[in-house]
Amino acid sequence: MTTVVQGKRTMSPTIVMVIIVLIAALLTYLVPSGEFKREKVEQQDGKKVTLVVPDSYKTTQKEYSFSDVLVGTPSKEVVKPVSVIQTLHAVPKGIIEQADLIFMVMFIGGMFGVLSKSGAIEAGLERSLSITKGNVYLLVPSLMIIFSLGSTFMGMAKEYLLVIPMVIAMTDRLGLSKVTGLAIVTLAVKVGYLASLTNPYALAVAQPLVGVPVFSGMSMRLVTYVAMMGICIAYVLWHIRRENAGGQKLSHSFDSTPLSAQHLWLLIALGVGVAFMVYGSQTWKWKATELSAYYLFLSVVFAAIAKMRPSDAADAFVAGMKKVLIAAVLIGLATAVAIILKEGQIMDTIIHYLVGFIGGNGAYISAYSMFVCQLLLDIAIPSTSGQAAVTMPILGPVGEIVGVTPQTTVFAFLMGNGLTNVITPTSSGLLIFLATAEVSWTRWAKYVWPLVVILFITALILLTIAVATGY
């Protein structure tokens, strides 16, 4: 199955994810099974997290017959590879496991379906662009810096799903591609996470596990933020320049007609709604379920202000949901990878091998190895806090033995986790961004891979500085 993008045929993102799922299933036959011991530890904030016990890895005997390859069932007594039937079951299991996230994405799509039908977004963009005269060299850096601040200081990510359709509408109006609009939001959010100046989801888990105060060592992360945001902004502007290689104007004339009262109230409601959502997420720790209910509430508010008939509002909501329906399949497939690795009991083996890969080759090589280790692990464990909980108890002691400071160990984790999430197809966070923007993973990967290479080299340089200065 292929999709057509701007006259070119590219592989469907669903097929890409299916291939990754099949590779994960095959690895359960090729990679030895094993596991670490785990224990629950209470953190400084009183929360209990399950951590891996260092040096506790043990291999387990794997037994299976021909029938197990086709129909095998999980067993606590006997370790088996994942069968064909289990591989198929992993997909609906993944969808069920991420049901709250999937519905949140679909409700966002529905909410914007209602808002789009009202015409407020188009009118608001036209007015905003008329003020700046559509100058992308002013708009793009300003928007990217604003978006990155929320993620690097507060760990905001899924909250930006609200703004992706609006930014893409803006780039459409400027004659630019959807992938450019997606990049303005996604790269800013991902680099914000990569630097994590005070991101609690990354630092509140990772730093205490290696024995350093939460949010300490900000100097190196600030350098990282400035360097990598500068690179990303330059990259997006360079791509915009390439899109306009034919001499098309990068600033345009727009209608400066004042907004109607209805459109103005709709945009005010949207602004207040976004602000309250950020407040609720940070104050009451709203998760996907609460956010889904909130987006449904906003849909009703928008429909009422726009004076839509109930049937028209419902049709617009469903039409908006249909646009992001593929997110359910993609998120289910991405989660299926982790389920397969756990059921085949090879997740811990992969972690054990990667720790062995770090070795004792001196502080510099070990720091680079930690970075690469985190890059690879992020494919299987795309959760930032989850990856920190698994790797920090292991890599912290390893770092001390080979001369890598605890802060640099955390820094290598941030670099690896943040960079892989820019492109990895198993990241549900990236997949819902892609689904909301209606951009395929293959198209996004083609756009972003040169930047990933540049950021990879930059990360190695920054790690070198961190080791050299004893950060």
Side-chain angles (χ1 to χ4, degrees):
M1 186 167 71
T2 58
T3 54
V4 178
V5 180
Q6 293 181 340
K8 298 180 181 179
R9 297 178 69 82
T10 61
M11 184 179 293
S12 165
T14 307
I15 297 300
V16 173
M17 285 306 310
V18 167
I19 291 171
I20 294 172
V21 168
L22 294 177
I23 291 172
L26 180 61
L27 287 176
T28 64
Y29 291 86
L30 302 178
V31 176
S33 296
E35 60 183 351
F36 285 99
K37 289 182 181 178
R38 285 171 166 79
E39 60 182 14
K40 286 191 175 182
V41 176
E42 187 171 327
Q43 291 186 299
Q44 295 174 356
D45 59 3
K47 292 182 179 179
K48 289 187 176 181
V49 292
T50 302
L51 304 178
V52 171
V53 178
D55 300 322
S56 64
Y57 175 80
K58 288 184 179 179
T59 57
T60 51
Q61 187 68 30
K62 191 178 295 188
E63 300 176 8
Y64 63 97
S65 62
F66 178 74
S67 62
D68 289 327
V69 176
L70 298 175
V71 192
T73 55
S75 171
K76 292 183 178 179
E77 293 76 25
V78 181
V79 178
K80 301 178 182 180
V82 174
S83 68
V84 173
I85 298 298
Q86 285 177 273
T87 301
L88 294 174
H89 281 176
V91 179
K93 280 183 181 178
I95 292 174
I96 293 168
E97 190 172 307
Q98 299 283 9
D100 53 352
L101 179 63
I102 290 168
F103 277 103
M104 183 189 77
V105 175
M106 293 178 70
F107 279 21
I108 288 172
M111 183 194 70
F112 270 98
V114 173
L115 203 54
S116 296
K117 188 173 179 63
S118 72
I121 294 292
E122 185 178 348
L125 284 171
E126 191 75 14
R127 185 74 181 111
S128 300
L129 290 170
S130 70
I131 295 172
T132 61
K133 299 181 181 179
N135 189 333
V136 295
Y137 295 113
L138 174 63
L139 284 170
V140 170
S142 300
L143 289 174
M144 291 184 72
I145 290 171
I146 290 169
F147 297 151
S148 69
L149 293 178
S151 63
T152 201
F153 283 114
M154 295 186 291
M156 291 172 58
K158 58 182 177 289
E159 291 85 354
Y160 287 109
L161 290 170
L162 273 173
V163 303
I164 288 176
M166 291 185 282
V167 175
I168 288 178
M170 179 195 77
T171 52
D172 283 346
R173 185 66 184 87
L174 289 166
L176 301 171
S177 62
K178 283 185 177 180
V179 74
T180 297
L182 175 64
I184 291 170
V185 182
T186 304
L187 293 179
V189 172
K190 298 302 182 183
V191 167
Y193 249 83
L194 191 151
S196 285
L197 293 180
T198 61
N199 175 7
Y201 296 104
L203 299 178
V205 177
Q207 288 188 315
L209 293 179
V210 296
V212 296
V214 179
F215 305 138
S216 62
M218 189 183 293
S219 57
M220 198 67 205
R221 299 197 300 276
L222 182 59
V223 172
T224 301
Y225 173 81
V226 172
M228 293 199 170
M229 270 307 301
I231 291 169
C232 286
I233 290 171
Y235 185 81
V236 173
L237 292 177
W238 173 71
H239 251 282
I240 290 173
R241 195 74 177 177
R242 285 187 64 192
E243 283 189 47
N244 289 271
Q248 183 179 341
K249 281 181 157 183
L250 287 176
S251 56
H252 307 255
S253 297
F254 298 93
D255 185 4
S256 57
T257 304
L259 293 170
S260 68
Q262 186 183 80
H263 287 160
L264 180 61
W265 280 112
L266 279 165
L267 293 174
I268 290 173
L270 176 61
V272 172
V274 171
F276 190 77
M277 178 199 65
V278 172
Y279 176 80
S281 298
Q282 299 299 317
T283 305
W284 299 307
K285 308 300 180 186
W286 282 356
K287 303 298 182 184
T289 303
E290 291 81 8
L291 287 169
S292 296
Y294 185 67
Y295 296 139
L296 184 60
F297 166 74
L298 286 180
S299 301
V300 175
V301 171
F302 295 151
I305 295 174
K307 299 178 181 177
M308 289 185 192
R309 293 186 304 172
S311 57
D312 290 340
D315 289 344
F317 190 86
V318 172
M321 290 177 70
K322 286 179 180 178
K323 290 185 178 181
V324 296
L325 191 59
I326 191 174
V329 178
L330 294 178
I331 292 171
L333 287 167
T335 309
V337 173
I339 291 173
I340 288 169
L341 296 180
K342 289 177 184 176
E343 289 186 352
Q345 292 192 26
I346 66 169
M347 179 76 84
D348 285 1
T349 302
I350 293 171
I351 296 168
H352 176 68
Y353 283 167
L354 290 173
V355 171
F357 166 72
I358 294 171
N361 301 309
Y364 289 98
I365 299 300
S366 295
Y368 304 150
S369 301
M370 284 182 182
F371 169 53
V372 174
C373 171
Q374 297 289 0
L375 282 171
L376 297 174
L377 271 178
D378 195 57
I379 298 172
I381 315 174
S383 165
T384 298
S385 56
Q387 191 174 339
V390 169
T391 60
M392 288 299 99
I394 301 174
L395 296 186
V398 171
E400 290 180 6
I401 292 170
V402 299
V404 177
T405 66
Q407 288 286 14
T408 301
T409 299
V410 173
F411 188 56
F413 154 68
L414 293 173
M415 295 292 99
N417 174 264
L419 184 54
T420 316
N421 275 330
V422 174
I423 196 169
T424 179
T426 58
S427 167
S428 58
L430 177 62
L431 291 177
I432 59 177
F433 273 37
L434 295 174
T436 305
E438 299 179 67
V439 173
S440 70
W441 179 83
T442 47
R443 186 182 179 193
W444 172 250
K446 183 179 179 182
Y447 174 93
V448 83
W449 78 262
L451 176 62
V452 171
V453 173
I454 295 169
L455 294 179
F456 180 89
I457 295 169
T458 305
L460 291 178
I461 294 171
L462 290 167
L463 277 170
T464 302
I465 296 171
V467 175
T469 58
Y471 166 70

